[in-house]
Amino acid sequence: MICGKCDCEKKPALVVQNFKLNVGELHIQNIPASLCDCDVWIAPSIRMELQRYATENSHLQGIHNISFEEI
């Protein structure tokens, strides 16, 4: 159980997170996560890494699609 609301076992999943940049968008794919029937959980260390990467690249223009492995 990962959410405390359901009795489902957690399952591994790959998710996408989108960030709105100053003048662009960043789509990060293949983010490792855990999934249950009512919630998706991304580890705090992974969330911090995603936020750090988005902040460092906030100057990018246009739409950028990358995989989590590239970070």
Side-chain angles (χ1 to χ4, degrees):
M1 178 167 51
I2 62 172
C3 67
K5 298 178 233 170
C6 68
D7 293 331
C8 182
E9 293 287 324
K10 68 178 181 179
K11 301 170 209 109
L14 295 175
V15 297
V16 174
Q17 190 161 4
N18 303 311
F19 293 91
K20 179 75 173 147
L21 305 176
N22 292 335
V23 290
E25 295 179 20
L26 176 63
H27 305 279
I28 303 176
Q29 306 168 359
N30 300 320
I31 302 167
S34 294
L35 176 69
C36 69
D37 286 343
C38 61
D39 206 0
V40 175
W41 186 79
I42 300 173
S45 60
I46 292 176
R47 285 187 189 273
M48 288 174 43
E49 185 69 17
L50 295 170
Q51 189 60 50
R52 180 198 59 78
Y53 186 84
T55 301
E56 288 178 358
N57 292 282
S58 62
H59 64 279
L60 294 174
Q61 297 180 355
I63 298 173
H64 296 271
N65 296 298
I66 65 164
S67 179
F68 180 73
E69 293 87 21
E70 296 175 48
I71 295 178

